[in-house]
Short mmCIF file of all heavy atoms in Angstrom, two decimals:
data_model
loop_
_atom_site.label_atom_id
_atom_site.label_comp_id
_atom_site.label_asym_id
_atom_site.label_seq_id
_atom_site.Cartn_x
_atom_site.Cartn_y
_atom_site.Cartn_z
N THR A 16 83.73 83.05 -5.25
CA THR A 16 84.40 83.00 -6.54
C THR A 16 83.57 82.18 -7.53
O THR A 16 82.69 81.42 -7.13
CB THR A 16 85.80 82.37 -6.42
OG1 THR A 16 85.64 81.00 -6.03
CG2 THR A 16 86.65 83.11 -5.40
N GLU A 17 83.89 82.31 -8.79
CA GLU A 17 83.20 81.53 -9.81
C GLU A 17 83.42 80.04 -9.60
O GLU A 17 82.53 79.23 -9.81
CB GLU A 17 83.67 81.94 -11.21
CG GLU A 17 83.12 83.27 -11.65
CD GLU A 17 83.55 83.61 -13.07
OE1 GLU A 17 83.78 82.69 -13.89
OE2 GLU A 17 83.63 84.81 -13.35
N SER A 18 84.63 79.67 -9.19
CA SER A 18 84.91 78.25 -8.98
C SER A 18 84.11 77.70 -7.80
O SER A 18 83.64 76.56 -7.84
CB SER A 18 86.41 77.99 -8.79
OG SER A 18 86.87 78.62 -7.60
N GLU A 19 83.94 78.51 -6.74
CA GLU A 19 83.11 78.06 -5.62
C GLU A 19 81.67 77.88 -6.06
O GLU A 19 81.03 76.88 -5.72
CB GLU A 19 83.17 79.09 -4.47
CG GLU A 19 84.47 79.11 -3.72
CD GLU A 19 84.55 80.26 -2.74
OE1 GLU A 19 84.10 81.38 -3.05
OE2 GLU A 19 85.09 80.03 -1.64
N ALA A 20 81.16 78.84 -6.84
CA ALA A 20 79.79 78.75 -7.32
C ALA A 20 79.62 77.55 -8.25
O ALA A 20 78.62 76.84 -8.18
CB ALA A 20 79.39 80.03 -8.04
N ALA A 21 80.61 77.31 -9.10
CA ALA A 21 80.53 76.18 -10.03
C ALA A 21 80.54 74.85 -9.28
O ALA A 21 79.75 73.94 -9.60
CB ALA A 21 81.67 76.24 -11.04
N GLU A 22 81.42 74.73 -8.30
CA GLU A 22 81.50 73.47 -7.56
C GLU A 22 80.22 73.22 -6.75
O GLU A 22 79.66 72.13 -6.79
CB GLU A 22 82.72 73.46 -6.63
CG GLU A 22 82.92 72.12 -5.96
CD GLU A 22 84.18 72.04 -5.12
OE1 GLU A 22 85.06 72.91 -5.25
OE2 GLU A 22 84.27 71.10 -4.32
N LEU A 23 79.76 74.24 -6.04
CA LEU A 23 78.53 74.09 -5.27
C LEU A 23 77.34 73.87 -6.21
O LEU A 23 76.47 73.04 -5.94
CB LEU A 23 78.29 75.31 -4.38
CG LEU A 23 77.08 75.26 -3.46
CD1 LEU A 23 77.15 74.05 -2.54
CD2 LEU A 23 76.99 76.54 -2.65
N GLY A 24 77.34 74.58 -7.33
CA GLY A 24 76.28 74.41 -8.32
C GLY A 24 76.22 72.99 -8.85
O GLY A 24 75.13 72.45 -9.08
N SER A 25 77.38 72.35 -9.03
CA SER A 25 77.38 70.96 -9.51
C SER A 25 76.79 70.02 -8.47
O SER A 25 76.07 69.07 -8.82
CB SER A 25 78.79 70.52 -9.91
OG SER A 25 79.62 70.37 -8.78
N HIS A 26 77.06 70.28 -7.19
CA HIS A 26 76.46 69.47 -6.12
C HIS A 26 74.93 69.64 -6.12
O HIS A 26 74.19 68.66 -5.98
CB HIS A 26 76.99 69.87 -4.74
CG HIS A 26 78.41 69.48 -4.48
ND1 HIS A 26 78.83 68.17 -4.42
CD2 HIS A 26 79.51 70.24 -4.24
CE1 HIS A 26 80.11 68.14 -4.16
NE2 HIS A 26 80.55 69.38 -4.06
N ILE A 27 74.48 70.88 -6.27
CA ILE A 27 73.04 71.16 -6.25
C ILE A 27 72.37 70.55 -7.48
O ILE A 27 71.28 69.97 -7.38
CB ILE A 27 72.78 72.68 -6.14
CG1 ILE A 27 73.18 73.14 -4.72
CG2 ILE A 27 71.33 73.02 -6.44
CD1 ILE A 27 73.12 74.64 -4.49
N GLU A 28 73.01 70.65 -8.63
CA GLU A 28 72.45 70.05 -9.86
C GLU A 28 72.36 68.54 -9.72
O GLU A 28 71.40 67.92 -10.19
CB GLU A 28 73.26 70.45 -11.08
CG GLU A 28 73.05 71.90 -11.49
CD GLU A 28 71.59 72.26 -11.75
OE1 GLU A 28 70.88 71.49 -12.43
OE2 GLU A 28 71.15 73.31 -11.25
N ARG A 29 73.36 67.93 -9.10
CA ARG A 29 73.32 66.48 -8.87
C ARG A 29 72.11 66.12 -8.02
O ARG A 29 71.39 65.16 -8.30
CB ARG A 29 74.61 66.02 -8.20
CG ARG A 29 74.62 64.53 -7.89
CD ARG A 29 75.98 64.07 -7.32
NE ARG A 29 75.88 62.70 -6.90
CZ ARG A 29 75.76 62.30 -5.64
NH1 ARG A 29 75.76 63.17 -4.65
NH2 ARG A 29 75.67 61.02 -5.33
N LEU A 30 71.88 66.91 -6.96
CA LEU A 30 70.73 66.66 -6.10
C LEU A 30 69.42 66.83 -6.86
O LEU A 30 68.50 66.02 -6.72
CB LEU A 30 70.77 67.59 -4.88
CG LEU A 30 69.64 67.45 -3.88
CD1 LEU A 30 69.61 66.05 -3.29
CD2 LEU A 30 69.80 68.48 -2.77
N LYS A 31 69.34 67.86 -7.70
CA LYS A 31 68.13 68.07 -8.49
C LYS A 31 67.91 66.90 -9.45
O LYS A 31 66.78 66.49 -9.68
CB LYS A 31 68.22 69.37 -9.27
CG LYS A 31 68.07 70.60 -8.41
CD LYS A 31 68.19 71.87 -9.23
CE LYS A 31 68.07 73.10 -8.36
NZ LYS A 31 68.26 74.33 -9.14
N GLY A 32 68.99 66.36 -10.00
CA GLY A 32 68.89 65.21 -10.89
C GLY A 32 68.35 63.99 -10.16
O GLY A 32 67.53 63.24 -10.70
N ILE A 33 68.82 63.79 -8.94
CA ILE A 33 68.33 62.66 -8.13
C ILE A 33 66.85 62.83 -7.86
O ILE A 33 66.07 61.89 -7.95
CB ILE A 33 69.12 62.57 -6.81
CG1 ILE A 33 70.58 62.18 -7.08
CG2 ILE A 33 68.46 61.59 -5.84
CD1 ILE A 33 71.50 62.39 -5.90
N THR A 34 66.45 64.05 -7.54
CA THR A 34 65.06 64.33 -7.22
C THR A 34 64.16 64.18 -8.45
O THR A 34 63.04 63.69 -8.34
CB THR A 34 64.94 65.76 -6.64
OG1 THR A 34 65.79 65.85 -5.50
CG2 THR A 34 63.53 66.09 -6.21
#
Side-chain angles (χ1 to χ4, degrees):
T16 65
E17 286 183 28
S18 65
E19 287 172 320
E22 186 175 346
L23 184 57
S25 70
H26 289 297
I27 290 174
E28 287 304 314
R29 178 175 173 257
L30 180 60
K31 287 179 182 177
I33 292 166
T34 303

